[in-house]
């Protein structure tokens, strides 16, 4: 096999186009990528490393934790607690924030869904790690949960690692989206797609159809019009894909377009949705917008939402801009 000739992730960050980015942020991103390599290695060992199945514990979201949820969370905590780049971390798998102790305190906040797609771990289907980076707003005082409650537009970087047939690292520092593929031999991430662009139109949608009877009218209308195909109001046939790992569903959209929905539904009417704003929706919305797509909760742009709590949930509709705008129109006229 020929050796990759493209840039490594480090070379990409050191290129002229990123001269304005703080060295600590570049180092932090390289640390996150290294943690993802460790998680990737564990994912690919699976049962051989006794890493499949339930851990028998629950998280603050009321979900059963898998062994890999905890393993991935521990890798990220251990790898970042003494590097001097972070003030604190927050995770889907931890009740409260993890403040960095002196003398290792830095200027950034790291948020993560350490293992997205937990229901797919044991069946060998793509899963991933999603991360978001914010600035710590007050450099002098000790970090608090309130410091994390920033709008998504404040993110200085966001991305994910996808553990699929290949391990792919996708990142944005606010000037487009780039994709890197892990070379299993050298353990380097090589740039394999720069300036990712989501097509404005699509014929593909992703939603868990088993929840159909619980949806709100605008989502029901949109999906039924897609299902009506070429003889319905959309006058074209649509295809449906649902991987049940947001990270893999969003990756497909970044690669070839589409629309992904995990909307509010009537199963738990008091919850705004299933997905988490800070660990899932904000970083994915940042990437999707950076690639020319759109991301809304039905009423507003997700990146403009002011969070009121760390583990806040949100309805998510993202992907090809013209489709997302149409779904927004259906919500506004409802
Ligand atoms: P997590 O594994 O981090 O809890 O997230 C799972 C999420 C998301 O990845 C996916 O889109 C959705 O849950 C799948 O939900 P269904 O079980 O309803 O398909
Ligand atoms: Mn998740
Ligand atoms: Mn998770």
């Amino acid at each position: 096999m020929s050796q990759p000739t493209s840039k490594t992730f480090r070379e990409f960050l050191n290129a002229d186009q990123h001269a304005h980015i703080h060295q600590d942020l570049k180092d932090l991103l390289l640390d996150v990528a290294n943690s993802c390599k460790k998680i990737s290695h564990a994912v690919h060992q699976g049962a051989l490393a006794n890493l499949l199945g339930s851990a028998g514990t629950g998280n603050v979201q009321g979900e059963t934790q898998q062994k890999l949820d905890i393993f991935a969370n521990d890798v990220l905590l251990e790898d970042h607690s003494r590097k001097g780049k972070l003030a604190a971390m927050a995770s889907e798998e931890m009740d409260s924030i993890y403040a960095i102790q002196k003398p290792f305190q830095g200027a950034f906040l790291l948020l993560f869904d350490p293992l997205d797609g937990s229901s797919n771990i044991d069946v060998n289907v793509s899963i991933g790690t999603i991360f978001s980076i914010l600035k710590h707003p007050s450099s002098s005082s000790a970090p608090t949960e309130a410091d994390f409650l920033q709008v998504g537009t404040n993110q200085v970087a966001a991305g994910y690692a996808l553990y699929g047939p290949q391990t792919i690292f996708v990142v944005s520092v606010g000037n487009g989206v780039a994709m890197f593929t892990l070379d299993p031999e050298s353990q380097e991430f090589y740039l394999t797609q720069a300036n990712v662009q989501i097509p404005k139109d699509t014929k593909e949608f992703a939603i868990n159809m088993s929840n159909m009877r619980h949806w709100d009218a605008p989502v029901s209308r949109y999906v039924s019009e897609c299902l009506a195909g070429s003889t319905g109001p959309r006058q074209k046939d649509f295809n449906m894909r649902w991987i049940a790992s947001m990270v893999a569903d969003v990756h497909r959209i970044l690669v070839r377009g589409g629309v992904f929905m995990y909307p509010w539904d009537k199963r738990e009417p008091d919850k705004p949705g299933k997905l988490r704003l800070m660990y899932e929706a904000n970083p994915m919305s940042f990437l999707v917008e950076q690639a020319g797509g759109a991301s809304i909760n039905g009423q507003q742009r997700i990146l403009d939402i002011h969070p009121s709590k760390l583990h806040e949930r949100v309805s998510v509709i993202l992907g090809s801009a013209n489709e997302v705008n149409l779904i927004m129109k259906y919500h506004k006229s409802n």
Side-chain angles (χ1 to χ4, degrees), residues 92 113 115-117 130 246 275-276 280:
E92 183 185 284
D113 175 355
L115 208 292
D116 177 68
I130 308 171
M246 184 196 201
L275 298 176
R276 277 63 48 144
E280 295 171 317

Side-chain angles (χ1 to χ4, degrees), residues 9-55:
F9 183 41
R10 183 184 294 277
E11 289 165 348
F12 170 85
L13 288 173
N14 287 335
D16 290 348
Q17 82 213 73
H18 297 125
H20 63 287
I21 293 174
H22 198 290
Q23 189 58 45
D24 277 1
L25 179 56
K26 293 181 186 177
D27 291 343
L28 170 55
L29 286 165
L30 289 165
D31 289 340
V32 172
N34 279 332
S35 299
C36 292
K37 289 178 197 171
K38 292 183 191 170
I39 299 168
S40 175
H41 181 73
V43 166
H44 290 116
Q45 286 202 302
L48 300 177
N50 190 26
L51 279 170
L52 300 189
S54 167

Side-chain angles (χ1 to χ4, degrees), residues 149-290:
L149 305 183
Q150 304 183 37
V151 285
T153 48
N154 278 7
Q155 291 172 102
V156 292
Y160 62 81
L162 176 67
Y163 314 118
Q166 302 107 44
T167 290
I168 310 267
F169 191 74
V170 179
V171 66
S172 178
V173 287
N175 60 355
V177 177
M179 293 183 176
F180 300 81
T181 303
L182 183 65
D183 175 7
E185 283 159 31
S186 66
Q187 286 294 299
E188 284 284 356
F189 278 113
Y190 285 96
L191 181 65
T192 42
Q193 175 75 59
N195 192 24
V196 174
Q197 288 292 317
I198 300 174
K200 300 278 178 235
D201 294 296
T202 183
K203 292 177 162 186
E204 206 159 66
F205 68 95
I207 192 165
N208 184 343
M209 290 291 289
S210 70
N211 296 323
M212 191 158 103
R213 69 191 186 284
H214 305 296
W215 296 337
D216 217 356
V219 172
S220 296
R221 175 182 173 190
Y222 175 75
V223 174
S224 65
E225 289 181 358
C226 292
L227 295 176
S230 56
T231 55
R234 300 300 307 278
Q235 298 187 314
K236 60 180 184 181
D237 290 329
F238 279 76
N239 195 6
M240 199 205 81
R241 288 284 184 274
W242 181 252
I243 302 170
S245 295
M246 184 196 201
V247 67
D249 282 307
V250 171
H251 187 70
R252 185 186 57 252
I253 287 169
L254 285 167
V255 170
R256 69 178 190 203
V259 57
F260 167 90
M261 289 166 279
Y262 213 117
W264 172 90
D265 68 48
K266 297 186 193 89
R267 281 175 300 170
E268 291 180 285
D270 297 338
K271 275 189 194 156
K274 173 176 178 175
L275 298 176
R276 277 63 48 144
L277 175 62
M278 309 295 285
Y279 320 112
E280 295 171 317
N282 267 345
M284 292 312 206
S285 300
F286 188 77
L287 292 170
V288 164
E289 286 200 5
Q290 284 290 323

